[in-house]
Amino acid sequence: MKRFFCNSLFYIGIVIMILLGIAVGYNIDHNFLKLYTAKMGQVPIRYCIFIIILFIGYLLFEEINHYTFIFRYKSVSNFIIKSMKQEVIMSVILLLIFHLPIFILNTKEFINNIVLIMLVILNITLIFSVMLAIIRLLNVWINNRITSTSIFLLVFACLDVLLGHFSYFYMEHYIFDFDAILVLPYVYHFYPFIFLFMCTLDIVLLFVTSKKMKERDYIIKQNEICE
């Protein structure tokens, strides 16, 4: 982790998150909640947040994806849990940095809606945990994290466009799309069920990934790559 915090790309990511926070927080004080959630659903904002956090997740993974580290954690499962914890912590840090300019620009409104903001941060953290879990599972076969991340983003973007297309043309039969994926607690009153579903999915993906890594001799492959 020490080398990770010396990586200039990490600090570039922080600067971009601050700029995104300014873009979201600027001039929304007169209708804070609606404008905040609307801006969080805009394509440029959403995908910039996706790319920054997933890329930082990639940097973290590359830092510890070495057979000696996996041996240090004594099992593949412990290694996955450790990497997941680091990715979650880094996601929370980046999201807090992102929300800092929003807080500075809209202090009173931000404090009045602090519970919802915290739920949104929790929701985004869980979403990225699931995304990273899917990428981690995909990487078991591809064994190239940047390629796995790119494939995931491509599939996600295609699905996003497809769902958006059907929702736009068939509004009388609304189909879920990804516009509000970052602010689900604000949109759906049954969010606790969505939260439980994502937690369950995260655990299942962790279990399957651990099982597949053992089956495909992941540690031996990393040893061969390092040599």
Side-chain angles (χ1 to χ4, degrees):
M1 286 292 287
K2 290 181 180 179
R3 286 195 305 168
F4 171 78
F5 286 111
C6 294
N7 194 325
S8 60
L9 293 174
F10 170 66
Y11 296 99
I12 292 173
I14 287 178
V15 171
I16 295 174
M17 291 298 277
I18 291 172
L19 294 175
L20 289 172
I22 293 173
V24 171
Y26 179 73
N27 198 28
I28 63 172
D29 55 312
H30 56 288
N31 197 354
F32 179 77
L33 263 187
K34 287 188 176 180
L35 291 176
Y36 167 77
T37 53
K39 286 191 175 184
M40 291 291 281
Q42 291 176 349
V43 171
I45 298 295
R46 273 191 295 136
Y47 278 88
C48 282
I49 293 174
F50 289 156
I51 291 169
I52 291 299
I53 294 184
L54 291 179
F55 182 71
I56 296 301
Y58 158 74
L59 293 179
L60 266 173
F61 177 81
E62 287 298 303
E63 182 69 26
I64 65 172
N65 187 40
H66 191 284
Y67 75 97
T68 56
F69 286 100
I70 303 175
F71 278 129
R72 184 183 300 175
Y73 298 128
K74 298 180 180 179
S75 73
V76 170
S77 298
N78 288 340
F79 168 72
I80 295 173
I81 292 171
K82 180 67 176 181
S83 62
M84 185 178 70
K85 285 180 180 178
Q86 292 183 356
E87 290 165 349
V88 166
I89 291 170
M90 194 53 57
S91 297
V92 171
I93 291 172
L94 289 171
L95 289 170
L96 291 175
I97 290 170
F98 166 77
H99 279 88
L100 182 59
I102 302 175
F103 169 74
I104 294 172
L105 294 171
N106 309 275
T107 305
K108 183 179 178 181
E109 292 80 8
F110 191 99
I111 293 173
N112 289 339
N113 296 280
I114 189 67
V115 174
L116 179 62
I117 298 294
M118 291 297 105
L119 283 175
V120 167
I121 292 175
L122 176 63
N123 173 67
I124 299 174
T125 302
L126 187 53
I127 286 169
F128 278 108
S129 179
V130 172
M131 286 182 170
L132 289 165
I134 295 171
I135 292 169
R136 196 180 295 115
L137 178 58
L138 186 61
N139 192 57
V140 174
W141 284 274
I142 297 175
N143 204 23
N144 186 311
R145 182 64 177 254
I146 197 68
T147 302
S148 302
T149 303
S150 301
I151 291 173
F152 172 81
L153 279 173
L154 179 62
V155 173
F156 181 88
C158 290
L159 188 59
D160 190 3
V161 171
L162 187 64
L163 289 174
H165 170 79
F166 278 104
S167 294
Y168 179 79
F169 287 103
Y170 303 101
M171 289 300 289
E172 68 275 11
H173 302 294
Y174 176 75
I175 298 174
F176 173 80
D177 57 39
F178 292 142
D179 286 356
I181 193 169
L182 299 182
V183 289
L184 291 177
Y186 176 79
V187 177
Y188 297 108
H189 65 278
F190 54 86
Y191 177 73
F193 295 102
I194 299 175
F195 179 85
L196 288 174
F197 171 76
M198 288 194 292
C199 287
T200 304
L201 180 59
D202 214 2
I203 294 170
V204 170
L205 287 169
L206 188 151
F207 173 78
V208 174
T209 302
S210 176
K211 187 172 183 296
K212 290 299 178 182
M213 285 176 72
K214 292 172 185 176
E215 289 178 357
R216 298 178 68 85
D217 296 324
Y218 186 82
I219 299 177
I220 296 174
K221 288 180 181 179
Q222 291 310 120
N223 188 8
E224 291 172 350
I225 290 171
C226 293
E227 290 178 350

